[in-house]
Amino acid sequence: RQNEEFESERTNMAQQMTGLKSEKEYLITEQKKQASEIDRLKQERNKRKSEQESMQQTETDLQQVVSSLSQQVTVLQSEKDKLAQQMQNDDNNEEEKKEETNVCK
C-alpha cells in the first residue's frame, strides 16, 4: 500500500514537473516575443526620431531660403525705386531742356 501511495505521489510530481517545464518553455517563448517587439519599437522610435530631425533640418533650410529671398526682394525693391527716381529725374531734365530751348527760340 505504501508503494502505491509512493508511486501515485511520484506520478503526480512527474506530471507537475512536466507542467512546469511546459510553462517554462511557454514563458521563454513569450519573453523572446516581447524582446523582439521591444527591438521593433526601438527601431520604429529611432526611425521617427531621424525623420523628425530631417524635417527640422528641412524647416531650417526653408527658413533660410525665405529669409534670403526676402532680402533679395528688398534689394530689388530698392533698385526699382532708385530707377524710378532716376527716370523721374531724367524726365524732369528733359522738360527743363525743352523749356530752355523754347525760351531760347
Side-chain angles (χ1 to χ4, degrees):
R1 184 167 182 140
Q2 262 184 332
N3 264 352
E4 286 176 17
E5 287 178 15
F6 178 77
E7 276 302 315
S8 173
E9 197 169 313
R10 194 174 132 188
T11 302
N12 285 342
M13 287 184 145
Q15 288 174 344
Q16 286 179 349
M17 287 292 290
T18 301
L20 289 173
K21 283 181 183 176
S22 178
E23 189 175 345
K24 177 184 170 187
E25 288 172 10
Y26 168 78
L27 290 173
I28 288 172
T29 301
E30 282 300 305
Q31 186 180 23
K32 287 178 183 175
K33 284 181 188 176
Q34 289 179 0
S36 175
E37 180 66 7
I38 288 169
D39 286 344
R40 188 189 70 73
L41 291 172
K42 283 180 182 177
Q43 288 175 356
E44 181 69 23
R45 184 186 67 194
N46 290 339
K47 179 182 170 190
R48 287 184 183 180
K49 191 176 180 182
S50 176
E51 288 172 351
Q52 184 180 14
E53 288 170 357
S54 175
M55 284 172 38
Q56 286 173 339
Q57 184 60 50
T58 299
E59 183 180 358
T60 300
D61 292 348
L62 287 173
Q63 285 172 346
Q64 289 174 346
V65 168
V66 167
S67 176
S68 175
L69 288 172
S70 178
Q71 289 172 353
Q72 290 175 21
V73 166
T74 302
V75 168
L76 289 172
Q77 185 65 47
S78 175
E79 289 178 12
K80 177 185 158 199
D81 293 345
K82 284 179 190 175
L83 284 171
Q85 185 62 49
Q86 287 174 357
M87 289 173 70
Q88 185 65 47
N89 291 344
D90 290 347
D91 288 348
N92 290 344
N93 289 341
E94 283 294 319
E95 284 298 316
E96 286 177 17
K97 285 181 184 175
K98 283 181 185 176
E99 287 174 13
E100 286 175 13
T101 304
N102 287 341
V103 168
C104 289
K105 287 183 181 178

